[in-house]
Amino acid sequence: MAAPTTPAEIGGIGHSVQRKEDARLIEGQGNFLDDIDLPSTLHMAILRSPLAHARINGIDSEAAMALDGVLAVVTGDLMDQHGLAWMPTLSGDTQAVLATDKVRYQGQEVAAVIATDPYIATDALELIEVDYEDLPPITTPQQSLEEGAALIRDEKEGQTDNLAYTWETGDKGATEEAFAQADRVVTLETHYPRSHPAPLETCGIVADVNSVTGQATIYMTSQAPHAHRTLFAMVAGLPEQNIRIVSPDIGGGFGNKVPIYPGYVVATAASLLIGQPVKWVESRTENLISTGFARDYYMKGELAVTDEGRILGLRVNMLSDQGAFYSDAQPTQFRAGLFHVVTGSYDFPAAHIDCKGAFTNKAPGGVAYRCSFRITEASYLIERLVQNAAYEVGIDPAEMRLRNFIQPEQFPYETATGFVYDSGDYPTALRTALDEVGYEDLRREQAEARAEGRLIGIGIAHFTEAVGAGPSRTYDIAGLKMIDSAELRVHPTGKAILKLGVKTQGQGHETTFAQIVAEVLGIPAIDIKVEHGDTDHTPYGLGTYASRSTPVGGAATAVVARKLADKSKKIAAHLLEAADEDIELASGVFSVAGSPDRSVTIQDVALAAYTNLPEGMEYGLEDVTYYDPPNLTYPYGSYIVVVEVDPDTGVWQVQRMVALDDCGVRINPMIVEGQICGGLTEGFAMSAMQWITFDEDGNCIGANFMDYLVPTAWETPKFELLATEVPSPHHPIGAKGVGESATVGSPAAFVNAVIDAVAHLGVRNIDMPVLPDRVWAAIDEAS
Amino acid sequence: MEVNITINGSEHASDVEPRTLLVDHIRRTVGLTGTHVGCDTTSCGACTVLMDGKPVKACTVLAAQADGSEVTTVEGLKGADGLHPVQQAFTDDHGLQCGFCTPGMMLVGASLIAENPDPSDDDVRWAISGNLCRCTGYINIVKAIRTAAARVAESSNGS
């Protein structure tokens, strides 16, 4: 790790500065969505479909309306009168706001009650009678694409089957050629199951529309407040200058708070019609059954390899379960996100990917759950395949990777699917992790244990992510280019305020982004206030998801700080009566080259910016930057997991977890490590226990925290963290982003470890989550 | 119905609906919003408060059941001489990220330390196993609670 260049009291890049946001949060003074209590607030509750697929023949809301305290029952017909019964999704589909014709998944929004009290609103739901007519539910994408399957999207013009999209990339011909030259083809068919981000705070809104002025102040659990403002303007037809989105403290997002959900639209419409603020906060069950699921890809990967263990090519066929509406939150031109990164960390010339998505009677969503779009699925598939290939070829899984890695001198490296990786040293990363875990000794112990009938497994994953979307030539969401921004104002006393287009959900932006400014200008990080989340007071940006805050917003911050450094040098030259080009800036001190005793501080310069300027210069010390990244960034890591599997029960325990991450330059090592520990835990969760399933009638199993198992402190393994630091060559401070690396990389490491424990029996796949009964069944079947 | 609950040392007499949950009473009637709601099945622990010194999940206690009891919420952790050691350790050890689970975690930690001045890693993990965190992976939460315990022990040994 590079040593920090600023002293601790300035707290620039590389210092583990304590978080500024903690002060309010540890004293219960955070301001989360449900804490917002405006005068005369009304409360909304949503009636949801108990059935997965049914026609609505009628809704009787008379009894609900008669309940004391109920102001309105909103139905799809009422929304339709305002042209708001349907809304566009982020993937170019339309989604029902409140159902008018039929319900297409369990938990779908059917009606909403607006009442003076949340208890009354919930009481009133019980009084609404809906006349449903059962239709056959379709619960798998395979069923959905069968001939004669019931048409889920019968309202959609031109839709004659349940196909949501098709997508293809790579070179089919070159890939076929590679496979023709292979000594063997290694195949893996596996399902990356449906999961849910389940941030501890659910989604919610307080819509406050002033019917006289037309001003709409919308408090919302939003990871992307600016994009949401524009989408609100487009969907609801509200003038954008009258919309102010305020995203307050957010209790975790992980992708769940990227889409616009029907509840937001209904609450806003209700506030507009009634003229009072309307609050809606999801219950946990509503959160899990209706908003923002992730994954659900059925993947078949084939790897063409030689007997020496060289990879020649990769072929992937996938089918994704989209639920009832295609509403993936992803860049518009990307039908299956950035799945291109499935070529992983390896140097081979040919790949081809063919993907289809199908509508089913399940909740829509398709969010990137703590990962860049579809990166976890891609990373998981290649890392599972490479391990299986090692078994088939008969070489060690670590050696298999070392033989196929992209070498450090090959960067920038263009992959077979056209991504250009920016930088990396994969062999050093893997070797460092192998040394730390004591790999050779472990392999020996594994062999000895096997002789005693004990099952030890060692799983490796060496992942490469593609984050920080993205360059404007390729990346947009609903036409909005995926740039991001920073505005920096230095006040006369030398203190500053930094305003961001991105928005924290716990990542610590208020600290780390101040550190970037501290690094460049030498203003102590503690003197820099970071403002974000309020669209009236921050410059435009596409928000925080896909690990894009540091790659895009962080870059904007460095660039705007450098703009102010340039102006500051001119002011310093004026104060020091020296030539502009002779001024040097280090840790907030401007000195004259060759005469270090002639100096002024950034605080002197800040005051002069408002009091004593060189002739012709404009007053003030502030600027704004919109950053259009030239490329994505490509963080990577080497993870090694050691497990012991109980052959009699299939229960597995993690014995070691060594995680080496290279996210380029680390702004705040403490925060980076915190992000990694959190991500590793979510990766462990998906590999071990966390999934959303449905029964054959389309009932969601996993609708609460008793059925949807997220790990507690008791199950969560302990982690040993390592780092290397290969900067991104195109990012202004060399940083790559880290919030999602561990969620992306670790599931394959955990699953590979369990497979490795039973691989000698011939087991090559156990689908996630790797539940004990599945492990037991795999052992039983193999032996 | 009339309930009388002492919250963070102040008496609050209120007329509540019998079905009112303690967490809603604390948040909406008394106006202390540091206690959070993260689920509806008593699973997540974001609503944890201390009732007569013991951690309870305030989403599963009726305000009526708390009648006559002393309740401590996160707003009551700080003492006259500054932050509670658990609060200080949470920020020192980076034991929080989004901060939503933090009040519950800190209250469980404070209660654990009061009972067990030298908790092991497993003691802490077991104590907080009724509280979910989706950000941190728990490592730094466990570390913070143990740091706080060590500091409390050190200061009581020193005095």
Side-chain angles (χ1 to χ4, degrees):
Chain A
M1 298 299 103
T5 62
T6 56
E9 58 272 21
I10 288 178
I13 290 172
H15 288 286
S16 289
V17 173
Q18 268 188 307
R19 297 200 329 161
K20 296 172 163 206
E21 34 277 268
D22 290 357
R24 63 179 184 273
L25 297 171
I26 58 173
E27 292 204 44
Q29 301 302 311
N31 184 36
F32 294 94
L33 190 280
D34 196 23
D35 303 344
I36 294 165
D37 186 19
L38 304 177
S40 312
T41 295
L42 301 172
H43 298 268
M44 185 172 97
I46 295 178
L47 182 72
R48 294 176 181 278
S49 170
L51 302 171
H53 200 189
R55 192 157 300 288
I56 297 176
N57 288 328
I59 300 175
D60 181 356
S61 51
E62 206 175 313
M65 277 300 295
L67 188 69
D68 260 0
V70 171
L71 275 87
V73 176
V74 185
T75 61
D77 285 343
L78 181 64
M79 292 299 281
D80 198 31
Q81 289 166 27
H82 299 273
L84 289 173
W86 292 81
M87 65 178 188
T89 72
L90 291 176
S91 280
D93 194 7
T94 49
Q95 174 177 357
V97 174
L98 292 177
T100 48
D101 51 347
K102 61 179 192 177
V103 287
R104 292 173 173 82
Y105 61 94
Q106 186 188 57
Q108 187 177 341
E109 297 80 357
V110 174
V113 171
I114 315 292
T116 52
D117 177 278
Y119 285 21
I120 295 172
T122 306
D123 288 345
L125 297 182
E126 303 282 328
L127 301 173
I128 301 174
E129 295 286 340
V130 183
D131 178 8
Y132 292 109
E133 179 188 331
D134 279 329
L135 294 169
I138 294 175
T139 57
T140 70
Q142 291 84 0
Q143 266 176 19
S144 164
L145 296 183
E146 275 169 16
E147 194 105 348
L151 186 62
I152 295 170
R153 298 297 302 280
D154 53 340
E155 94 296 348
K156 203 173 173 183
E157 213 170 305
Q159 184 83 36
T160 55
D161 56 20
N162 290 321
L163 187 68
Y165 72 91
T166 58
W167 172 69
E168 186 182 352
T169 196
D171 186 332
K172 196 172 185 178
T175 305
E176 275 169 13
E177 218 167 282
F179 274 75
Q181 288 167 13
D183 293 321
R184 60 183 78 224
V185 173
V186 179
T187 304
L188 172 67
E189 286 190 61
T190 192
H191 179 218
Y192 204 126
R194 183 174 274 237
S195 195
H196 195 284
L200 204 56
E201 178 202 36
T202 59
C203 302
I205 184 170
V206 179
D208 181 15
V209 187
N210 185 314
S211 49
V212 177
T213 64
Q215 172 68 39
T217 306
I218 296 169
Y219 304 86
M220 206 165 117
T221 49
S222 169
Q223 293 180 226
H226 292 278
H228 285 159
R229 185 186 71 201
T230 303
L231 293 170
F232 259 88
M234 289 171 170
V235 173
L238 297 170
E240 196 168 354
Q241 82 278 13
N242 283 355
I243 307 172
R244 175 181 170 208
I245 307 275
V246 182
S247 185
D249 282 327
I250 293 192
F254 315 121
N256 190 204
K257 293 166 181 170
V258 172
I260 290 183
Y261 294 119
Y264 299 161
V265 178
V266 180
T268 304
S271 176
L272 176 67
L273 294 174
I274 299 172
Q276 280 174 248
V278 174
K279 179 190 271 194
W280 169 64
V281 179
E282 280 181 324
S283 69
R284 175 56 58 192
T285 294
E286 291 184 287
N287 176 254
L288 289 172
I289 68 172
S290 72
T291 53
F293 86 90
R295 325 288 194 242
D296 221 345
Y297 273 70
Y298 293 83
M299 306 188 283
K300 179 184 179 191
E302 295 168 283
L303 213 51
V305 289
T306 67
D307 283 337
E308 290 72 45
R310 278 295 302 179
I311 302 171
L312 302 177
L314 169 69
R315 194 155 53 201
V316 182
N317 278 282
M318 297 193 296
L319 176 59
S320 68
D321 183 339
Q322 294 301 138
F325 306 105
Y326 182 34
S327 64
D328 283 15
Q330 63 192 356
T332 302
Q333 296 180 38
F334 293 79
R335 301 285 79 189
L338 312 185
F339 196 86
H340 314 66
V341 82
V342 69
T343 56
S345 309
Y346 309 104
D347 175 25
F348 57 88
H352 182 251
I353 306 161
D354 212 336
C355 182
K356 279 192 273 215
F359 293 119
T360 59
N361 289 119
K362 296 178 183 171
V367 301
Y369 165 20
R370 204 166 182 167
C371 66
S372 191
F373 321 100
R374 283 10 105 201
I375 299 277
T376 38
E377 293 89 330
S379 171
Y380 179 72
L381 182 63
I382 185 68
E383 286 307 303
R384 291 284 320 282
L385 262 175
V386 167
Q387 171 162 306
N388 280 3
Y391 295 143
E392 299 310 326
V393 174
I395 60 175
D396 184 272
E399 177 59 27
M400 177 82 192
R401 290 179 169 85
L402 289 165
R403 284 186 195 176
N404 288 284
F405 272 152
I406 299 163
Q407 296 300 310
E409 63 276 11
Q410 289 178 276
F411 291 94
Y413 175 86
E414 183 168 353
T415 69
T417 51
F419 276 24
V420 180
Y421 291 3
D422 55 353
S423 62
D425 182 349
Y426 299 158
T428 299
L430 179 55
R431 288 202 173 98
T432 306
L434 291 170
D435 285 350
E436 177 68 21
V437 81
Y439 189 68
E440 284 176 24
D441 290 345
L442 275 173
R443 284 289 176 204
R444 245 189 324 273
E445 283 168 35
Q446 180 185 37
E448 287 163 13
R450 258 182 211 165
E452 297 167 9
R454 286 169 53 227
L455 301 175
I456 305 275
I458 305 153
I460 300 173
H462 184 102
F463 66 94
T464 297
E465 282 183 282
V467 308
S472 62
R473 63 183 180 276
T474 319
Y475 293 90
D476 71 86
I477 288 182
L480 302 167
K481 299 296 186 183
M482 295 186 75
I483 46 83
D484 230 291
S485 63
E487 180 186 321
L488 180 59
R489 300 178 185 172
V490 181
H491 302 320
T493 55
K495 318 289 184 187
I497 181 164
L498 175 71
K499 294 159 174 268
L500 301 174
V502 293
K503 164 69 194 162
T504 190
Q505 307 123 43
Q507 296 94 332
H509 291 25
E510 291 168 36
T511 309
T512 51
F513 282 68
Q515 289 184 255
I516 297 173
V517 175
E519 176 74 20
V520 177
L521 286 175
I523 299 172
I526 200 149
D527 290 343
I528 302 158
K529 176 169 147 184
V530 175
E531 191 173 3
H532 53 153
D534 183 335
T535 58
D536 267 11
H537 298 291
T538 52
Y540 204 86
L542 273 255
T544 294
Y545 45 85
S547 286
R548 62 186 301 283
S549 283
T550 295
V552 193
T557 300
V559 171
V560 76
R562 286 175 190 171
K563 283 187 192 172
L564 295 197
D566 288 344
K567 181 170 183 180
S568 297
K569 282 182 185 170
K570 294 192 175 82
I571 298 172
H574 164 71
L575 296 176
L576 293 166
E577 297 178 345
D580 291 357
E581 57 274 18
D582 289 342
I583 299 296
E584 291 169 350
L585 168 60
S587 295
V589 177
F590 298 82
S591 53
V592 181
S595 321
D597 52 324
R598 288 173 62 203
S599 67
V600 289
T601 64
I602 181 68
Q603 290 76 18
D604 299 327
V605 167
L607 186 61
Y610 299 88
T611 57
N612 175 15
L613 282 182
E615 200 161 323
M617 187 181 277
E618 193 175 332
Y619 278 95
L621 193 55
E622 65 178 71
D623 216 325
V624 61
T625 286
Y626 281 79
Y627 189 78
D628 181 3
N631 189 4
L632 302 177
T633 56
Y634 295 87
Y636 61 93
S638 271
Y639 292 170
I640 304 176
V641 171
V642 184
V643 299
E644 176 153 5
V645 177
D646 182 333
D648 296 324
T649 62
V651 170
W652 51 281
Q653 297 283 347
V654 176
Q655 296 184 324
R656 303 262 317 264
M657 197 313 166
V658 170
L660 181 144
D661 276 275
D662 193 317
C663 57
V665 170
R666 296 183 171 208
I667 299 165
N668 182 320
M670 173 189 82
I671 288 178
V672 168
E673 290 185 2
Q675 291 289 305
I676 292 167
C677 287
L680 291 172
T681 304
E682 297 205 39
F684 167 72
M686 279 178 281
S687 64
M689 61 182 77
Q690 206 176 274
W691 65 334
I692 300 273
T693 52
F694 294 81
D695 71 11
E696 60 192 14
D697 294 323
N699 294 307
C700 178
I701 315 294
N704 56 62
F705 278 151
M706 290 190 291
D707 295 323
Y708 183 61
L709 300 180
V710 303
T712 72
W714 195 248
E715 295 88 32
T716 301
K718 291 161 192 171
F719 311 121
E720 302 162 55
L721 305 188
L722 301 171
T724 55
E725 190 174 300
V726 178
S728 170
H730 66 77
H731 187 276
I733 57 167
K736 290 186 172 184
V738 73
E740 305 171 327
S741 300
T743 320
V744 168
S746 63
F750 288 111
V751 177
N752 277 345
V754 179
I755 301 283
D756 190 65
V758 292
H760 62 295
L761 305 172
V763 177
R764 293 291 180 270
N765 182 49
I766 303 170
D767 276 345
M768 284 195 289
V770 181
L771 301 166
D773 64 304
R774 288 177 163 186
V775 179
W776 185 87
I779 295 172
D780 189 52
E781 202 178 311
S783 32
Chain B
M1 62 183 293
E2 178 86 5
V3 295
N4 213 317
I5 308 174
T6 304
I7 301 179
N8 302 331
S10 307
E11 275 193 38
H12 292 270
S14 333
D15 187 23
V16 301
E17 259 193 272
R19 63 174 173 170
T20 306
L21 298 173
L22 178 59
V23 68
D24 290 331
H25 182 64
I26 292 168
R27 288 180 53 83
R28 302 186 60 221
T29 315
V30 182
L32 296 172
T33 56
T35 306
H36 300 144
V37 179
C39 74
D40 33 30
T41 48
T42 326
S43 307
C44 81
C47 64
T48 304
V49 299
L50 302 183
M51 199 163 110
D52 297 325
K54 300 275 183 220
V56 297
K57 293 181 177 177
C59 71
T60 315
V61 176
L62 296 167
Q65 291 173 290
D67 186 34
S69 65
E70 300 222 357
V71 168
T72 304
T73 71
V74 63
E75 291 90 345
L77 264 180
K78 191 178 181 179
D81 46 355
L83 292 177
H84 187 283
V86 167
Q87 290 173 304
Q88 187 62 51
F90 263 68
T91 184
D92 290 347
D93 288 340
H94 189 30
L96 67 152
Q97 290 181 24
C98 80
F100 200 76
C101 75
T102 311
M105 290 286 185
M106 292 192 305
L107 286 160
V108 172
S111 154
L112 172 68
I113 293 169
E115 282 186 10
N116 177 357
D118 183 22
S120 68
D121 205 84
D122 274 357
D123 290 339
V124 176
R125 284 178 181 266
W126 188 249
I128 62 169
S129 64
N131 292 64
L132 299 177
C133 170
R134 298 288 290 155
C135 298
T136 65
Y138 302 104
I139 287 184
N140 286 344
I141 293 177
V142 175
K143 189 175 165 194
I145 292 173
R146 296 191 70 191
T147 298
R151 287 178 183 167
V152 170
E154 199 179 319
S155 70
S156 56
N157 287 342
S159 60

